[in-house]
Amino acid sequence: MSKYVSKIFVTVDVLVINKISNEILLIKRLNEPFKDCWALPGGFVDENEDLEQAARRELFEETNIETNEMIQIGAFGTPNRDPRGHMISIAYQTYLIDNQIVKAKDDAKETKWFSINDLPELAFDHLEIINSIL
């Protein structure tokens, strides 16, 4: 029996909503693919890492935000959603907690709040992820 090795990777994306201003937090990507494009904070799930923990880690690494509440909003796995290969993303939603300092870190070049009604062009299928909860 041959050993099967999957070529599918798992990522997480986090939709951070500011309930007061009705805005969504996006990051400007520092690296390819989609370098300098706006995207949801997120990244690859590490081996032996829980999905929700990966979402919390990626959110903190890229935006400095820590949150207690993570709501899983769906799985997105259309082939070719990511030019690097077949990626399945588990998307989460959370809300900004008062008094948190948001700043770009790790592979995020910049962070910015955008009105839900006036979003820029987004990397990957992140607009589909956002629209799935609106």
Side-chain angles (χ1 to χ4, degrees):
M1 183 168 155
S2 65
K3 183 176 178 181
Y4 174 75
V5 177
S6 177
K7 295 177 184 167
I8 299 173
F9 295 90
V10 180
T11 63
V12 289
D13 291 303
V14 183
L15 176 56
V16 182
I17 299 173
N18 183 327
K19 288 195 258 187
I20 295 169
S21 65
N22 205 31
E23 293 177 312
I24 294 173
L25 183 66
L26 299 175
I27 62 153
K28 185 175 276 188
R29 291 181 52 81
L30 182 62
N31 303 308
E32 294 293 349
F34 298 105
K35 182 178 180 178
D36 293 325
C37 290
W38 293 103
L40 295 170
F44 289 97
V45 176
D46 291 338
E47 189 172 352
N48 297 315
E49 185 176 36
D50 177 77
L51 292 171
E52 186 174 318
Q53 185 57 41
R56 290 177 192 281
R57 175 184 53 77
E58 284 289 343
L59 180 62
F60 180 73
E61 286 177 359
E62 293 185 350
T63 69
N64 202 56
I65 293 175
E66 294 181 280
T67 183
N68 293 328
E69 182 181 16
M70 281 280 184
I71 303 162
Q72 191 177 116
I73 58 175
F76 299 83
T78 302
N80 303 314
R81 64 179 292 276
D82 187 318
R84 295 171 291 190
H86 193 164
M87 310 289 171
I88 296 174
S89 181
I90 310 303
Y92 288 86
Q93 173 184 333
T94 191
Y95 298 97
L96 180 68
I97 299 171
D98 292 337
N99 302 320
Q100 288 211 48
I101 297 171
V102 180
K103 64 180 179 180
K105 302 181 344 181
D106 194 34
D107 54 355
K109 185 176 191 176
E110 181 181 341
T111 62
K112 186 175 179 182
W113 291 98
F114 288 90
S115 167
I116 291 173
N117 299 316
D118 190 24
L119 296 173
E121 186 173 332
L122 298 174
F124 308 102
D125 58 353
H126 290 184
L127 182 59
E128 179 184 340
I129 293 171
I130 293 167
N131 285 337
S132 75
I133 65 144
L134 297 181

